[in-house]
Amino acid sequence: MGAVGPWSLVRFAHVAGAALWVGGQLALSLVVLPLARHLLAPEARDRFAAAAGRRFGLLTGAVFLPVQLGTGWAMAWHRGVTWASLAEPGYGRTLAAKLALFALVMLAAAGHGAAHAKGRTDLARALAVVSLAGSLGVVLLATALPAT
């Protein structure tokens, strides 16, 4: 087995960041928040859910987004991706679809936070589902891309 090169580390950071983002959404949605709904009184549950959402949003903005954008740009540069190549069949179009879906996921996540802050719980929940489903779609599209 050869030495781990710098591009393996860049790819690792990108994949690990995506795993933390999607895994965090899944853990919150399927484990943490349902338990909070079941075990906590309504006022405590609402405070807990808001605090967990703020913490996840802060980590997203401070860690996840910079890592994903930086490593994603670096891998695209390393592979020689150009704006024009995003329209080409295969790698280019798959990457373009992944980037477009990622942008929609980030918009849905931001909308979720704004809706939650305004007390629009139904809209916040719908946008959380859209963000989670879109995140899974981003991961699916990522698996179709060859390693850089």
Side-chain angles (χ1 to χ4, degrees), residues 21-22 25-26 28-30 33 37 101 104-105 107-113 115 121-137:
W21 165 252
V22 177
Q25 288 181 83
L26 287 168
L28 283 171
S29 299
L30 300 175
L33 295 179
R37 278 193 287 279
L101 187 54
L104 291 174
V105 164
L107 288 172
H112 163 76
T121 55
D122 289 341
L123 177 59
R125 188 169 289 124
L127 288 170
V129 170
V130 167
S131 179
L132 178 55
S135 294
L136 293 171

PDB file of all heavy atoms in Angstrom, residues 21-22 25-26 28-30 33 37 101 104-105 107-113 115 121-137:
ATOM      1  N   TRP A  21     -22.122  16.242   7.840  1.00  0.00           N
ATOM      2  CA  TRP A  21     -23.309  17.049   7.535  1.00  0.00           C
ATOM      3  C   TRP A  21     -24.537  16.162   7.383  1.00  0.00           C
ATOM      4  O   TRP A  21     -25.541  16.358   8.061  1.00  0.00           O
ATOM      5  CB  TRP A  21     -23.056  17.865   6.272  1.00  0.00           C
ATOM      6  CG  TRP A  21     -24.287  18.444   5.649  1.00  0.00           C
ATOM      7  CD1 TRP A  21     -24.876  18.029   4.490  1.00  0.00           C
ATOM      8  CD2 TRP A  21     -25.082  19.530   6.120  1.00  0.00           C
ATOM      9  NE1 TRP A  21     -25.980  18.792   4.231  1.00  0.00           N
ATOM     10  CE2 TRP A  21     -26.140  19.720   5.216  1.00  0.00           C
ATOM     11  CE3 TRP A  21     -25.006  20.350   7.238  1.00  0.00           C
ATOM     12  CZ2 TRP A  21     -27.108  20.706   5.379  1.00  0.00           C
ATOM     13  CZ3 TRP A  21     -25.978  21.331   7.389  1.00  0.00           C
ATOM     14  CH2 TRP A  21     -27.008  21.498   6.478  1.00  0.00           C
ATOM     15  N   VAL A  22     -24.468  15.175   6.523  1.00  0.00           N
ATOM     16  CA  VAL A  22     -25.629  14.307   6.288  1.00  0.00           C
ATOM     17  C   VAL A  22     -25.894  13.447   7.518  1.00  0.00           C
ATOM     18  O   VAL A  22     -27.046  13.284   7.933  1.00  0.00           O
ATOM     19  CB  VAL A  22     -25.438  13.442   5.023  1.00  0.00           C
ATOM     20  CG1 VAL A  22     -26.601  12.492   4.821  1.00  0.00           C
ATOM     21  CG2 VAL A  22     -25.286  14.342   3.798  1.00  0.00           C
ATOM     22  N   GLN A  25     -27.630  15.518  10.106  1.00  0.00           N
ATOM     23  CA  GLN A  25     -29.051  15.701   9.792  1.00  0.00           C
ATOM     24  C   GLN A  25     -29.852  14.445  10.131  1.00  0.00           C
ATOM     25  O   GLN A  25     -30.943  14.529  10.710  1.00  0.00           O
ATOM     26  CB  GLN A  25     -29.223  16.013   8.305  1.00  0.00           C
ATOM     27  CG  GLN A  25     -28.771  17.389   7.891  1.00  0.00           C
ATOM     28  CD  GLN A  25     -29.010  17.584   6.416  1.00  0.00           C
ATOM     29  OE1 GLN A  25     -30.123  17.916   6.016  1.00  0.00           O
ATOM     30  NE2 GLN A  25     -27.993  17.367   5.617  1.00  0.00           N
ATOM     31  N   LEU A  26     -29.311  13.298   9.744  1.00  0.00           N
ATOM     32  CA  LEU A  26     -29.999  12.041  10.027  1.00  0.00           C
ATOM     33  C   LEU A  26     -30.104  11.793  11.532  1.00  0.00           C
ATOM     34  O   LEU A  26     -31.161  11.392  12.026  1.00  0.00           O
ATOM     35  CB  LEU A  26     -29.294  10.872   9.334  1.00  0.00           C
ATOM     36  CG  LEU A  26     -29.468  10.795   7.822  1.00  0.00           C
ATOM     37  CD1 LEU A  26     -28.497   9.784   7.227  1.00  0.00           C
ATOM     38  CD2 LEU A  26     -30.906  10.453   7.460  1.00  0.00           C
ATOM     39  N   LEU A  28     -30.038  13.980  14.000  1.00  0.00           N
ATOM     40  CA  LEU A  28     -31.010  14.912  14.589  1.00  0.00           C
ATOM     41  C   LEU A  28     -32.438  14.506  14.245  1.00  0.00           C
ATOM     42  O   LEU A  28     -33.315  14.464  15.117  1.00  0.00           O
ATOM     43  CB  LEU A  28     -30.748  16.339  14.103  1.00  0.00           C
ATOM     44  CG  LEU A  28     -29.589  17.073  14.755  1.00  0.00           C
ATOM     45  CD1 LEU A  28     -29.309  18.388  14.034  1.00  0.00           C
ATOM     46  CD2 LEU A  28     -29.877  17.337  16.224  1.00  0.00           C
ATOM     47  N   SER A  29     -32.680  14.197  12.982  1.00  0.00           N
ATOM     48  CA  SER A  29     -34.039  13.910  12.510  1.00  0.00           C
ATOM     49  C   SER A  29     -34.594  12.580  12.994  1.00  0.00           C
ATOM     50  O   SER A  29     -35.780  12.467  13.285  1.00  0.00           O
ATOM     51  CB  SER A  29     -34.083  13.920  10.982  1.00  0.00           C
ATOM     52  OG  SER A  29     -33.712  15.174  10.492  1.00  0.00           O
ATOM     53  N   LEU A  30     -33.733  11.562  13.052  1.00  0.00           N
ATOM     54  CA  LEU A  30     -34.219  10.213  13.339  1.00  0.00           C
ATOM     55  C   LEU A  30     -34.005   9.760  14.783  1.00  0.00           C
ATOM     56  O   LEU A  30     -34.662   8.814  15.224  1.00  0.00           O
ATOM     57  CB  LEU A  30     -33.548   9.213  12.391  1.00  0.00           C
ATOM     58  CG  LEU A  30     -33.799   9.451  10.907  1.00  0.00           C
ATOM     59  CD1 LEU A  30     -32.987   8.466  10.071  1.00  0.00           C
ATOM     60  CD2 LEU A  30     -35.274   9.362  10.580  1.00  0.00           C
ATOM     61  N   LEU A  33     -34.175  14.444  17.914  1.00  0.00           N
ATOM     62  CA  LEU A  33     -35.426  15.194  18.038  1.00  0.00           C
ATOM     63  C   LEU A  33     -36.629  14.310  18.380  1.00  0.00           C
ATOM     64  O   LEU A  33     -37.456  14.718  19.207  1.00  0.00           O
ATOM     65  CB  LEU A  33     -35.668  16.037  16.789  1.00  0.00           C
ATOM     66  CG  LEU A  33     -34.626  17.146  16.579  1.00  0.00           C
ATOM     67  CD1 LEU A  33     -34.900  17.927  15.308  1.00  0.00           C
ATOM     68  CD2 LEU A  33     -34.542  18.068  17.787  1.00  0.00           C
ATOM     69  N   ARG A  37     -38.890  14.944  21.675  1.00  0.00           N
ATOM     70  CA  ARG A  37     -40.354  15.062  21.638  1.00  0.00           C
ATOM     71  C   ARG A  37     -41.009  14.103  22.624  1.00  0.00           C
ATOM     72  O   ARG A  37     -42.012  14.418  23.234  1.00  0.00           O
ATOM     73  CB  ARG A  37     -40.886  14.805  20.225  1.00  0.00           C
ATOM     74  CG  ARG A  37     -40.802  16.016  19.317  1.00  0.00           C
ATOM     75  CD  ARG A  37     -41.613  15.829  18.041  1.00  0.00           C
ATOM     76  NE  ARG A  37     -41.001  14.905  17.110  1.00  0.00           N
ATOM     77  CZ  ARG A  37     -40.025  15.207  16.269  1.00  0.00           C
ATOM     78  NH1 ARG A  37     -39.548  16.420  16.223  1.00  0.00           N
ATOM     79  NH2 ARG A  37     -39.530  14.297  15.457  1.00  0.00           N
ATOM     80  N   LEU A 101     -27.707  20.871  -6.887  1.00  0.00           N
ATOM     81  CA  LEU A 101     -28.466  20.304  -5.776  1.00  0.00           C
ATOM     82  C   LEU A 101     -27.900  20.771  -4.442  1.00  0.00           C
ATOM     83  O   LEU A 101     -28.647  21.086  -3.510  1.00  0.00           O
ATOM     84  CB  LEU A 101     -28.489  18.779  -5.870  1.00  0.00           C
ATOM     85  CG  LEU A 101     -29.386  18.051  -4.876  1.00  0.00           C
ATOM     86  CD1 LEU A 101     -30.827  18.569  -4.932  1.00  0.00           C
ATOM     87  CD2 LEU A 101     -29.353  16.551  -5.149  1.00  0.00           C
ATOM     88  N   LEU A 104     -29.219  24.173  -3.748  1.00  0.00           N
ATOM     89  CA  LEU A 104     -30.620  24.099  -3.306  1.00  0.00           C
ATOM     90  C   LEU A 104     -30.724  23.599  -1.867  1.00  0.00           C
ATOM     91  O   LEU A 104     -31.552  24.089  -1.090  1.00  0.00           O
ATOM     92  CB  LEU A 104     -31.423  23.202  -4.244  1.00  0.00           C
ATOM     93  CG  LEU A 104     -31.649  23.753  -5.651  1.00  0.00           C
ATOM     94  CD1 LEU A 104     -32.332  22.709  -6.532  1.00  0.00           C
ATOM     95  CD2 LEU A 104     -32.490  25.028  -5.595  1.00  0.00           C
ATOM     96  N   VAL A 105     -29.891  22.638  -1.506  1.00  0.00           N
ATOM     97  CA  VAL A 105     -29.883  22.126  -0.135  1.00  0.00           C
ATOM     98  C   VAL A 105     -29.505  23.240   0.844  1.00  0.00           C
ATOM     99  O   VAL A 105     -30.130  23.397   1.899  1.00  0.00           O
ATOM    100  CB  VAL A 105     -28.909  20.929  -0.011  1.00  0.00           C
ATOM    101  CG1 VAL A 105     -28.574  20.622   1.444  1.00  0.00           C
ATOM    102  CG2 VAL A 105     -29.498  19.703  -0.688  1.00  0.00           C
ATOM    103  N   LEU A 107     -29.885  26.445   0.421  1.00  0.00           N
ATOM    104  CA  LEU A 107     -31.013  27.384   0.476  1.00  0.00           C
ATOM    105  C   LEU A 107     -32.132  26.833   1.352  1.00  0.00           C
ATOM    106  O   LEU A 107     -32.724  27.567   2.157  1.00  0.00           O
ATOM    107  CB  LEU A 107     -31.531  27.690  -0.926  1.00  0.00           C
ATOM    108  CG  LEU A 107     -30.633  28.562  -1.792  1.00  0.00           C
ATOM    109  CD1 LEU A 107     -31.171  28.636  -3.226  1.00  0.00           C
ATOM    110  CD2 LEU A 107     -30.516  29.957  -1.191  1.00  0.00           C
ATOM    111  N   ALA A 108     -32.439  25.546   1.198  1.00  0.00           N
ATOM    112  CA  ALA A 108     -33.479  24.923   2.018  1.00  0.00           C
ATOM    113  C   ALA A 108     -33.082  24.935   3.490  1.00  0.00           C
ATOM    114  O   ALA A 108     -33.914  25.203   4.368  1.00  0.00           O
ATOM    115  CB  ALA A 108     -33.756  23.495   1.539  1.00  0.00           C
ATOM    116  N   ALA A 109     -31.811  24.658   3.785  1.00  0.00           N
ATOM    117  CA  ALA A 109     -31.343  24.665   5.174  1.00  0.00           C
ATOM    118  C   ALA A 109     -31.433  26.071   5.771  1.00  0.00           C
ATOM    119  O   ALA A 109     -31.872  26.240   6.918  1.00  0.00           O
ATOM    120  CB  ALA A 109     -29.910  24.134   5.251  1.00  0.00           C
ATOM    121  N   ALA A 110     -31.032  27.073   5.001  1.00  0.00           N
ATOM    122  CA  ALA A 110     -31.149  28.455   5.471  1.00  0.00           C
ATOM    123  C   ALA A 110     -32.609  28.837   5.666  1.00  0.00           C
ATOM    124  O   ALA A 110     -32.973  29.481   6.661  1.00  0.00           O
ATOM    125  CB  ALA A 110     -30.469  29.406   4.489  1.00  0.00           C
ATOM    126  N   GLY A 111     -33.460  28.430   4.729  1.00  0.00           N
ATOM    127  CA  GLY A 111     -34.891  28.689   4.859  1.00  0.00           C
ATOM    128  C   GLY A 111     -35.479  28.002   6.079  1.00  0.00           C
ATOM    129  O   GLY A 111     -36.345  28.560   6.763  1.00  0.00           O
ATOM    130  N   HIS A 112     -35.010  26.794   6.362  1.00  0.00           N
ATOM    131  CA  HIS A 112     -35.464  26.068   7.549  1.00  0.00           C
ATOM    132  C   HIS A 112     -35.153  26.872   8.813  1.00  0.00           C
ATOM    133  O   HIS A 112     -36.013  27.053   9.680  1.00  0.00           O
ATOM    134  CB  HIS A 112     -34.791  24.690   7.621  1.00  0.00           C
ATOM    135  CG  HIS A 112     -34.881  24.053   8.965  1.00  0.00           C
ATOM    136  ND1 HIS A 112     -36.028  23.466   9.428  1.00  0.00           N
ATOM    137  CD2 HIS A 112     -33.969  23.932   9.956  1.00  0.00           C
ATOM    138  CE1 HIS A 112     -35.824  23.005  10.644  1.00  0.00           C
ATOM    139  NE2 HIS A 112     -34.573  23.280  10.982  1.00  0.00           N
ATOM    140  N   GLY A 113     -33.916  27.367   8.909  1.00  0.00           N
ATOM    141  CA  GLY A 113     -33.535  28.158  10.079  1.00  0.00           C
ATOM    142  C   GLY A 113     -34.372  29.421  10.211  1.00  0.00           C
ATOM    143  O   GLY A 113     -34.823  29.765  11.304  1.00  0.00           O
ATOM    144  N   ALA A 115     -37.408  29.982   8.933  1.00  0.00           N
ATOM    145  CA  ALA A 115     -38.795  29.622   9.238  1.00  0.00           C
ATOM    146  C   ALA A 115     -38.930  29.223  10.701  1.00  0.00           C
ATOM    147  O   ALA A 115     -39.902  29.592  11.370  1.00  0.00           O
ATOM    148  CB  ALA A 115     -39.267  28.494   8.321  1.00  0.00           C
ATOM    149  N   THR A 121     -43.484  26.491  12.076  1.00  0.00           N
ATOM    150  CA  THR A 121     -43.005  25.129  12.277  1.00  0.00           C
ATOM    151  C   THR A 121     -43.307  24.206  11.101  1.00  0.00           C
ATOM    152  O   THR A 121     -42.480  23.350  10.772  1.00  0.00           O
ATOM    153  CB  THR A 121     -43.575  24.527  13.572  1.00  0.00           C
ATOM    154  OG1 THR A 121     -44.993  24.614  13.544  1.00  0.00           O
ATOM    155  CG2 THR A 121     -43.046  25.265  14.787  1.00  0.00           C
ATOM    156  N   ASP A 122     -44.463  24.339  10.480  1.00  0.00           N
ATOM    157  CA  ASP A 122     -44.776  23.459   9.343  1.00  0.00           C
ATOM    158  C   ASP A 122     -43.823  23.712   8.175  1.00  0.00           C
ATOM    159  O   ASP A 122     -43.318  22.771   7.566  1.00  0.00           O
ATOM    160  CB  ASP A 122     -46.229  23.635   8.886  1.00  0.00           C
ATOM    161  CG  ASP A 122     -47.226  23.065   9.885  1.00  0.00           C
ATOM    162  OD1 ASP A 122     -46.817  22.230  10.731  1.00  0.00           O
ATOM    163  OD2 ASP A 122     -48.412  23.457   9.823  1.00  0.00           O
ATOM    164  N   LEU A 123     -43.574  24.978   7.876  1.00  0.00           N
ATOM    165  CA  LEU A 123     -42.638  25.320   6.805  1.00  0.00           C
ATOM    166  C   LEU A 123     -41.223  24.870   7.176  1.00  0.00           C
ATOM    167  O   LEU A 123     -40.504  24.315   6.344  1.00  0.00           O
ATOM    168  CB  LEU A 123     -42.672  26.819   6.516  1.00  0.00           C
ATOM    169  CG  LEU A 123     -41.693  27.332   5.454  1.00  0.00           C
ATOM    170  CD1 LEU A 123     -41.945  26.638   4.110  1.00  0.00           C
ATOM    171  CD2 LEU A 123     -41.796  28.842   5.324  1.00  0.00           C
ATOM    172  N   ALA A 124     -40.832  25.093   8.429  1.00  0.00           N
ATOM    173  CA  ALA A 124     -39.502  24.681   8.873  1.00  0.00           C
ATOM    174  C   ALA A 124     -39.329  23.174   8.722  1.00  0.00           C
ATOM    175  O   ALA A 124     -38.294  22.706   8.247  1.00  0.00           O
ATOM    176  CB  ALA A 124     -39.275  25.105  10.331  1.00  0.00           C
ATOM    177  N   ARG A 125     -40.337  22.413   9.117  1.00  0.00           N
ATOM    178  CA  ARG A 125     -40.254  20.953   9.002  1.00  0.00           C
ATOM    179  C   ARG A 125     -40.161  20.530   7.539  1.00  0.00           C
ATOM    180  O   ARG A 125     -39.353  19.662   7.190  1.00  0.00           O
ATOM    181  CB  ARG A 125     -41.467  20.306   9.675  1.00  0.00           C
ATOM    182  CG  ARG A 125     -41.355  18.792   9.758  1.00  0.00           C
ATOM    183  CD  ARG A 125     -42.419  18.180  10.645  1.00  0.00           C
ATOM    184  NE  ARG A 125     -42.143  18.508  12.042  1.00  0.00           N
ATOM    185  CZ  ARG A 125     -43.004  19.121  12.852  1.00  0.00           C
ATOM    186  NH1 ARG A 125     -44.197  19.456  12.431  1.00  0.00           N
ATOM    187  NH2 ARG A 125     -42.675  19.379  14.095  1.00  0.00           N
ATOM    188  N   ALA A 126     -40.966  21.142   6.670  1.00  0.00           N
ATOM    189  CA  ALA A 126     -40.926  20.796   5.240  1.00  0.00           C
ATOM    190  C   ALA A 126     -39.556  21.107   4.642  1.00  0.00           C
ATOM    191  O   ALA A 126     -39.007  20.302   3.875  1.00  0.00           O
ATOM    192  CB  ALA A 126     -42.026  21.550   4.488  1.00  0.00           C
ATOM    193  N   LEU A 127     -38.989  22.253   4.999  1.00  0.00           N
ATOM    194  CA  LEU A 127     -37.672  22.617   4.478  1.00  0.00           C
ATOM    195  C   LEU A 127     -36.576  21.716   5.045  1.00  0.00           C
ATOM    196  O   LEU A 127     -35.596  21.429   4.354  1.00  0.00           O
ATOM    197  CB  LEU A 127     -37.371  24.085   4.766  1.00  0.00           C
ATOM    198  CG  LEU A 127     -38.187  25.073   3.922  1.00  0.00           C
ATOM    199  CD1 LEU A 127     -38.014  26.497   4.447  1.00  0.00           C
ATOM    200  CD2 LEU A 127     -37.822  24.972   2.460  1.00  0.00           C
ATOM    201  N   ALA A 128     -36.734  21.234   6.277  1.00  0.00           N
ATOM    202  CA  ALA A 128     -35.776  20.283   6.838  1.00  0.00           C
ATOM    203  C   ALA A 128     -35.801  18.979   6.046  1.00  0.00           C
ATOM    204  O   ALA A 128     -34.745  18.397   5.757  1.00  0.00           O
ATOM    205  CB  ALA A 128     -36.085  20.023   8.307  1.00  0.00           C
ATOM    206  N   VAL A 129     -36.996  18.521   5.685  1.00  0.00           N
ATOM    207  CA  VAL A 129     -37.119  17.291   4.894  1.00  0.00           C
ATOM    208  C   VAL A 129     -36.501  17.490   3.514  1.00  0.00           C
ATOM    209  O   VAL A 129     -35.780  16.622   3.013  1.00  0.00           O
ATOM    210  CB  VAL A 129     -38.597  16.850   4.798  1.00  0.00           C
ATOM    211  CG1 VAL A 129     -38.775  15.738   3.788  1.00  0.00           C
ATOM    212  CG2 VAL A 129     -39.107  16.422   6.173  1.00  0.00           C
ATOM    213  N   VAL A 130     -36.765  18.640   2.894  1.00  0.00           N
ATOM    214  CA  VAL A 130     -36.185  18.945   1.583  1.00  0.00           C
ATOM    215  C   VAL A 130     -34.663  18.959   1.681  1.00  0.00           C
ATOM    216  O   VAL A 130     -33.965  18.392   0.830  1.00  0.00           O
ATOM    217  CB  VAL A 130     -36.718  20.287   1.041  1.00  0.00           C
ATOM    218  CG1 VAL A 130     -35.913  20.773  -0.155  1.00  0.00           C
ATOM    219  CG2 VAL A 130     -38.190  20.152   0.672  1.00  0.00           C
ATOM    220  N   SER A 131     -34.135  19.594   2.720  1.00  0.00           N
ATOM    221  CA  SER A 131     -32.688  19.667   2.901  1.00  0.00           C
ATOM    222  C   SER A 131     -32.077  18.281   3.090  1.00  0.00           C
ATOM    223  O   SER A 131     -31.055  17.956   2.484  1.00  0.00           O
ATOM    224  CB  SER A 131     -32.360  20.558   4.107  1.00  0.00           C
ATOM    225  OG  SER A 131     -30.972  20.624   4.317  1.00  0.00           O
ATOM    226  N   LEU A 132     -32.710  17.452   3.904  1.00  0.00           N
ATOM    227  CA  LEU A 132     -32.192  16.106   4.143  1.00  0.00           C
ATOM    228  C   LEU A 132     -32.263  15.255   2.881  1.00  0.00           C
ATOM    229  O   LEU A 132     -31.284  14.602   2.505  1.00  0.00           O
ATOM    230  CB  LEU A 132     -32.953  15.426   5.278  1.00  0.00           C
ATOM    231  CG  LEU A 132     -32.548  13.992   5.595  1.00  0.00           C
ATOM    232  CD1 LEU A 132     -31.055  13.891   5.894  1.00  0.00           C
ATOM    233  CD2 LEU A 132     -33.366  13.464   6.749  1.00  0.00           C
ATOM    234  N   ALA A 133     -33.400  15.270   2.205  1.00  0.00           N
ATOM    235  CA  ALA A 133     -33.534  14.482   0.971  1.00  0.00           C
ATOM    236  C   ALA A 133     -32.540  14.973  -0.083  1.00  0.00           C
ATOM    237  O   ALA A 133     -31.896  14.169  -0.766  1.00  0.00           O
ATOM    238  CB  ALA A 133     -34.965  14.570   0.447  1.00  0.00           C
ATOM    239  N   GLY A 134     -32.402  16.287  -0.202  1.00  0.00           N
ATOM    240  CA  GLY A 134     -31.442  16.836  -1.153  1.00  0.00           C
ATOM    241  C   GLY A 134     -30.013  16.464  -0.801  1.00  0.00           C
ATOM    242  O   GLY A 134     -29.202  16.166  -1.691  1.00  0.00           O
ATOM    243  N   SER A 135     -29.686  16.448   0.491  1.00  0.00           N
ATOM    244  CA  SER A 135     -28.347  16.062   0.924  1.00  0.00           C
ATOM    245  C   SER A 135     -28.043  14.622   0.535  1.00  0.00           C
ATOM    246  O   SER A 135     -26.937  14.307   0.084  1.00  0.00           O
ATOM    247  CB  SER A 135     -28.202  16.232   2.435  1.00  0.00           C
ATOM    248  OG  SER A 135     -28.286  17.584   2.791  1.00  0.00           O
ATOM    249  N   LEU A 136     -29.024  13.760   0.697  1.00  0.00           N
ATOM    250  CA  LEU A 136     -28.836  12.367   0.275  1.00  0.00           C
ATOM    251  C   LEU A 136     -28.632  12.292  -1.235  1.00  0.00           C
ATOM    252  O   LEU A 136     -27.832  11.498  -1.727  1.00  0.00           O
ATOM    253  CB  LEU A 136     -30.016  11.513   0.726  1.00  0.00           C
ATOM    254  CG  LEU A 136     -30.133  11.332   2.245  1.00  0.00           C
ATOM    255  CD1 LEU A 136     -31.458  10.669   2.604  1.00  0.00           C
ATOM    256  CD2 LEU A 136     -28.959  10.550   2.791  1.00  0.00           C
ATOM    257  N   GLY A 137     -29.343  13.142  -1.981  1.00  0.00           N
ATOM    258  CA  GLY A 137     -29.155  13.211  -3.427  1.00  0.00           C
ATOM    259  C   GLY A 137     -27.761  13.681  -3.804  1.00  0.00           C
ATOM    260  O   GLY A 137     -27.152  13.175  -4.752  1.00  0.00           O
TER     261      GLY A 137
END
